[in-house]
């Protein structure tokens, strides 16, 4: 991964949209940026209509002045191509570039991201504006990073128009090779759906009842691949005309926010992984979701440092209820991302907008101005990030891995599954939360990845799993790894076809069991499972009729449809062990299962860390750094295995690190 050019400190700043303000405000902005310690801002994201007010007619004067002003004041630019928001004149000339829903409704102009990514006209126009910007600004001294488009897949990823139909057929030819292969992959003999000609294939538009699940899965892959084609097109122009400047696009890896993009594939295409993250106020512990998103982003980056390109100083404006962040929460959020691998903390946006859809979205400079809590916390955060400059370039140290695959998530969400209450995201959230509360730092990994470096690997929800991935997990366990698998995993192959033989298909050998039947529970039903020493746990949503084929029962169903049958099993295989959890346990009830698996993995319990305190380590050429983040209202102490210097206060820490309520401390260990 490449760092932003010319940036020698952690990135700090936000989306800067000066075109919304008279130019006398620009001078005030750069003065305040210096006061806050801003090092980089993102510019140009929604500026296409200003940069190209008429087809082929360009106005760069205001942007020239802006970039010169930023450079004069020592602020670097993350320079976006504005291709997420084509101008009104473009859609007037090319209404076919507006996306069409599966119901046949064409979206209208007046929002953002309303793009058919298969539109030839859109591709030509996007390439043209990208080339103009690259030629003009490739050598500008403020330029640190190219930022293509904005949040691909949000709010529209798939279009179902005639252009997409033709493009889909081309993609199917390239992907499957022949019509016979498509028919085989989609299982079109079922319900008489067999195709005799590629021209008979249309996008999976609305039908009287459920659509072909394998076709829907392929269309999700196609939509993702089509967006990626457009990203590559712009990236390649920028690489050719502005060599030496890294190119990125802002991801939305949080499972609460982005669900249409296979970020494993996209992570290989960018020069620097960047991410946008916003707290979802749905009653869950927001700090856990934040940590999970940061860990997932770092994993997409292959463990390398990445960059938080957007989050909020306080409340957002697009949820049903948008509370303000508590005092100190902005710093905790920002530094939690840094602890988990981000080389900075950027925001949307610099100055709060007076007009438009996001005028109530918080900003670094709020409507209240500089005599405000938010501004004072922004200035303090800038100083803290400056003090943490030595952390830049180091890597976060992980204890375990969680397997995740976006294609499996897409497949599992298709229609007519055994229970609508089973949710892959919920399983990932619950297993992650349980690991988080055991104070384990998690990498995410693709099911086919090399897992040999992890003593513990958890599979919370992998309904779709290839035979190769199954062999990979078997090899991992045979060579000494500890594996924990949740129910409804390993069921189908890459085309959503059930693996031959009993469930759980690709995983039955490594788990040492078969499943005769799924027996999902009705809404509100719960079952009890009993385990070692008579301990009892409560489960819901799902049960199974498990038959041991080498595995041993550790927890057993005490009641419900599977009463007396194994609920949680353990299978010794080669030098390792594989655990299976055949019912839905919440994060708390998962704890004893993960504790036992952790013991198999040789992971010692993390003592000396209070509940609600997050401890993460980064290491690199400049040393080892321990981040302690106190999410509670009580002062806490964290045990240290080595003395060191706390970077935010300059104090020495030996034996224990004092972390005040709601505060963050970072120790450079000796």
């Amino acid at each position: 991964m490449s760092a932003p050019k010319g940036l020698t400190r952690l990135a700090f700043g936000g989306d800067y949209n000066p075109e919304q303000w008279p130019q006398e405000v620009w001078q005030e902005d750069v003065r305040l940026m210096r006061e806050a310690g801003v090092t980089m801002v993102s510019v140009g994201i929604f500026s296409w209509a200003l940069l190209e007010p008429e087809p082929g007619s360009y106005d760069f004067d205001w942007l020239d002045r802006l970039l010169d002003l930023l450079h004069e004041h020592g602020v670097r630019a993350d320079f976006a191509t504005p291709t997420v928001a084509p101008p009104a004149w473009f859609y007037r000339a090319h209404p076919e570039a507006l996306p069409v829903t599966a119901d046949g409704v064409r979206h209208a102009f007046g929002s953002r991201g309303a793009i058919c990514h298969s539109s030839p006209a859109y591709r030509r126009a996007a390439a043209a504006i990208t080339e103009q910007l690259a030629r003009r600004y490739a050598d500008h001294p403020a330029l640190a990073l190219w930022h293509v488009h904005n949040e691909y897949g949000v709010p529209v990823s798939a279009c179902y128009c005639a252009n997409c139909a033709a493009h889909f057929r081309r993609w199917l030819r390239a992907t499957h090779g022949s019509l016979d292969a498509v028919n085989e992959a989609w299982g079109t003999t079922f319900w008489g759906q067999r195709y005799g000609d590629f021209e008979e294939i249309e996008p999976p538009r609305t039908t009287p009842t459920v659509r072909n699940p394998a076709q829907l899965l392929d269309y999700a892959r196609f939509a993702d691949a089509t967006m990626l084609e457009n990203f590559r097109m712009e990236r390649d122009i920028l690489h050719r005309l502005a060599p030496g400047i890294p190119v990125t696009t802002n991801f939305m890896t949080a499972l609460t926010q982005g669900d249409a993009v296979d970020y494993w594939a996209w992570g290989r295409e960018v020069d620097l992984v960047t991410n946008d993250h916003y707290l979802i106020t749905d009653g869950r512990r927001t700090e856990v979701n934040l940590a999970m998103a940061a860990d997932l982003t770092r994993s997409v980056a292959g463990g390398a440092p990445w960059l938080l390109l957007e989050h909020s100083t306080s409340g957002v404006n697009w949820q049903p209820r948008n509370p303000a962040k508590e005092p100190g929460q902005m710093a905790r959020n920002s530094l939690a991302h840094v602890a988990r691998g981000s080389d900075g903390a950027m925001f949307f946006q610099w100055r709060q907008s007076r007009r438009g859809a996001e005028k109530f979205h918080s900003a670094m400079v709020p409507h209240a101005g500089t005599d405000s809590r938010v501004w004072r916390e922004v200035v303090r955060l800038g100083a803290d990030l400056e003090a943490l400059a030595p952390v830049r370039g180091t890597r976060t140290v992980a204890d375990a891995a969680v397997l995740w695959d976006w294609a499996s998530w897409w497949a599992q969400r298709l229609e007519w599954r055994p229970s609508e209450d089973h949710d892959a995201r919920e399983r990932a959230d619950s297993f992650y939360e349980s690991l988080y509360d055991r104070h384990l730092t998690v990498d995410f990994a693709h099911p086919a990845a090399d897992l040999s470096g992890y003593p513990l690997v958890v599979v919370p929800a992998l309904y779709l799993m290839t035979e190769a991935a199954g062999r990979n997990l078997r090899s991992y366990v045979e060579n000494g790894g500890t594996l924990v698998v949740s129910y409804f995993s390993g069921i189908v192959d890459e085309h959503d076809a059930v693996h031959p033989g009993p469930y759980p298909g690709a995983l039955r050998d490594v788990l040492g069991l078969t499943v005769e039947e799924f027996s999902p529970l009705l809404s509100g039903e719960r079952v009890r499972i009993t385990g070692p020493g008579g301990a009892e746990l409560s489960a819901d949503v799902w049960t199974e009729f498990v038959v041991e084929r080498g595995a041993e029962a550790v927890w057993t169903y005490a009641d419900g449809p599977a009463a007396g049958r194994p609920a949680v099993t353990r299978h010794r295989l080669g030098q390792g062990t594989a655990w299976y959890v055949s019912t839905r346990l919440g994060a708390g009830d998962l704890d004893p299962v993960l504790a036992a698996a952790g013991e198999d993995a040789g992971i010692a319990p993390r003592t000396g860390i209070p509940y609600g305190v997050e401890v993460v380590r980064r290491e690199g050429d400049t040393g080892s750094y321990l981040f302690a983040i106190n999410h509670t209202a009580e002062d806490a102490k964290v045990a240290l295995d080595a003395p060191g210097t706390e970077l935010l206060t300059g104090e020495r820490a030996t034996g224990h690190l004092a972390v005040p309520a709601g505060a963050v401390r970072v120790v450079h260990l000796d």
Side-chain angles (χ1 to χ4, degrees), residues 21 30 37 49 53 71 83 85 144 148 170 178 189 239 259 261 267 289 313 317 396 414 599 634:
W21 303 91
V30 292
H71 176 61
T83 50
V148 171
R170 294 192 298 272
S178 70
T189 53
H239 278 168
D259 62 0
V261 174
N289 176 270
T313 56
N317 73 318
T396 300
L414 297 174
E599 186 175 345
E634 303 292 332

Side-chain angles (χ1 to χ4, degrees), residues 389-403:
V391 171
R392 183 172 177 267
T394 60
R395 292 187 172 220
T396 300
V397 179
D399 304 298
V402 169
L403 300 195

Side-chain angles (χ1 to χ4, degrees), residues 4 7 10-16 37-43 45 75-79 145 147 274-278 306-313 325 330 333-334 337-338 342-350 364 381 385:
L7 202 62
L10 295 175
F12 179 55
D15 285 23
Y16 185 35
V38 166
T39 60
M40 186 169 73
V41 293
S42 301
V43 298
I45 296 171
V75 178
R76 309 290 293 176
D78 163 40
F79 197 164
L145 182 66
H147 171 168
T274 63
N275 194 53
D276 297 350
H277 182 266
Y278 293 97
W306 54 281
L307 178 59
L308 175 67
L309 208 54
E310 287 184 28
H311 72 314
S312 66
T313 56
K325 290 186 176 180
M330 178 182 67
N333 290 167
S334 300
H337 284 288
V338 173
S342 177
D343 271 358
M346 306 276 286
F347 293 90
F348 179 86
Q349 60 181 323
W350 166 252
M364 298 175 76
L381 178 59
L385 289 171

Side-chain angles (χ1 to χ4, degrees), residues 365-550:
V365 182
H367 292 311
T370 55
D371 186 14
S372 63
R373 174 180 68 87
V374 165
W375 174 251
R376 286 187 285 273
E377 290 193 12
V378 163
V379 174
R380 174 63 184 272
L381 178 59
D384 286 349
L385 289 171
E386 184 173 3
L388 296 180
V391 171
R392 183 172 177 267
T394 60
R395 292 187 172 220
T396 300
V397 179
D399 304 298
V402 169
L403 300 195
W404 182 257
D405 180 24
W406 276 274
S408 178
W409 192 22
W410 300 338
Q412 189 171 298
R413 293 187 305 177
L414 297 174
E415 301 157 300
W416 285 11
R417 297 304 188 234
S419 173
E420 66 178 13
D421 296 325
H422 170 57
D423 177 5
R425 185 200 128 195
E426 182 280 329
R427 284 293 76 197
D429 286 347
S430 291
F431 272 88
Y432 182 90
E433 184 175 358
S434 190
L435 292 164
Y436 176 96
D437 285 339
R438 296 193 65 75
H439 304 293
L440 299 179
T441 302
V442 168
D443 278 348
F444 285 80
H446 188 274
D450 178 7
L451 304 172
S452 59
Y454 301 105
L456 176 66
V457 171
V458 174
V459 181
L462 278 177
Y463 159 77
L464 182 155
M465 182 177 287
T466 65
E467 290 283 0
R471 290 192 296 271
N472 186 44
L473 294 188
R474 176 173 182 136
S475 175
Y476 165 75
V477 173
E478 288 177 332
N479 286 292
T482 300
L483 181 70
V484 180
V485 176
S486 184
Y487 67 88
F488 208 45
S489 293
I491 305 302
V492 300
D493 67 12
E494 61 269 34
H495 303 303
D496 197 47
V498 174
H499 286 288
Y503 308 132
L507 290 170
R508 60 177 172 257
D509 291 341
V510 68
L511 295 174
L513 56 82
T514 59
V515 175
E516 290 183 351
E517 283 187 273
F518 307 133
S519 187
L521 300 175
L522 299 180
S523 178
E525 283 189 310
R526 302 193 70 84
V527 296
R528 294 177 299 115
I529 67 172
T530 55
E536 186 173 291
L537 304 176
S538 178
D540 65 357
V541 171
W542 194 276
T543 64
E544 294 180 342
F545 299 144
V546 173
V547 179
E548 302 110 304
R549 310 284 186 185

Side-chain angles (χ1 to χ4, degrees), residues 89-167:
W89 59 255
F90 171 79
Y91 287 121
R92 183 180 181 187
H94 300 286
E96 77 284 356
L98 287 162
V100 175
T101 68
D103 292 329
V105 176
R106 189 176 294 279
H107 287 290
F109 174 77
S111 180
R112 68 172 195 176
I115 296 164
C116 168
H117 283 276
S118 294
S119 165
Y122 170 76
R123 292 185 173 205
R124 289 192 298 270
I129 186 65
T130 299
E131 183 164 336
Q132 289 288 331
L133 292 171
R135 290 188 183 280
R136 189 172 187 91
Y137 297 108
D139 297 320
H140 197 285
L143 179 60
L145 182 66
W146 286 112
H147 171 168
V148 171
H149 202 268
N150 184 71
E151 296 177 345
Y152 276 97
V154 179
V156 177
S157 59
C159 171
Y160 298 82
C161 71
N163 276 330
C164 287
H167 192 186

